Amino acid sequence: MKRRIYWLLPDPASARRAMHDLVQARVDTAHIHFAAAEGMDMTGLHAANAWQTSDVVHAAGSGLVIGGGVGTAVGLVTALLFPLAGEAPEWGTAALLAVLGGLIGAWSASMIGISIPSPRLARFEGAIGRGQILLMVDLPPARVQAIEALLRTAHPEARFEGEERLVPALP
């Protein structure tokens, strides 16, 4: 598990300096994410993608559970009431429909979730709208304090905005 720390930076130049400092501190660029207002110049920054800025992961998980449940119910009814051959229930059909229901549910819900902003980032919308840049860094727990100290020292213009525990290691 990793921890995600949030910082607000006032402008792209400050964000680029922070990116440089984090890379120099041996933080992998894949774990550094910047979110800014649409149209802002993000040259030299590792922009956050849909995994960080949308609700796609939560939506896909919900779709998997709901679709799997509906698929299981339909599969059981189909297996018990409409056997394909003979009088015995078709349990393979029930399992197949449960898996298909889960896959279709996860896929369709993720298509919706990708267009919904992440609730985790809702508190930053105002600052981003005013031109600030959100920095998200995913770190092993043992490195959090050192990186926070580095950013506090090297970037007094930046504002620490908190830490999230239990962020999955991937993506």
Side-chain angles (χ1 to χ4, degrees):
M1 296 305 244
K2 293 197 178 251
R3 293 188 182 182
R4 177 171 287 166
I5 58 174
Y6 296 98
W7 288 79
L8 278 173
L9 300 156
D11 53 45
S14 175
R16 286 185 194 91
R17 288 190 306 274
M19 175 81 173
H20 179 266
D21 291 342
L22 290 168
V23 170
Q24 291 295 316
R26 299 194 185 280
V27 176
D28 186 6
T29 57
H31 300 291
I32 304 169
H33 317 286
F34 291 92
E38 196 164 325
M40 184 172 282
D41 180 20
M42 298 285 283
T43 305
L45 301 175
H46 186 246
N49 60 28
W51 292 108
Q52 291 91 33
T53 60
S54 72
D55 202 28
V56 68
V57 174
H58 177 260
S62 298
L64 179 68
V65 170
I66 294 169
V70 170
T72 299
V74 170
L76 290 174
V77 169
T78 301
L80 294 172
L81 298 179
F82 305 106
L84 296 175
E87 296 291 319
E90 298 285 337
W91 299 119
T93 303
L96 177 66
L97 288 175
V99 169
L100 283 174
L103 290 174
I104 291 170
W107 173 76
S108 60
S110 68
M111 293 297 105
I112 295 167
I114 203 162
S115 65
I116 299 172
S118 172
R120 291 177 170 169
L121 303 183
R123 63 187 169 132
F124 303 112
E125 285 178 4
I128 291 172
R130 290 187 302 275
Q132 294 182 0
I133 298 174
L134 176 65
L135 165 62
M136 299 172 273
V137 186
D138 299 334
L139 299 163
R143 297 214 48 211
V144 170
Q145 287 183 345
I147 297 301
E148 284 180 6
L150 167 75
L151 290 170
R152 273 195 180 91
T153 303
H155 298 278
E157 76 281 6
R159 194 171 74 232
F160 178 70
E161 288 293 329
E163 176 182 331
E164 249 184 26
R165 302 180 202 295
L166 306 177
V167 173
L170 293 175

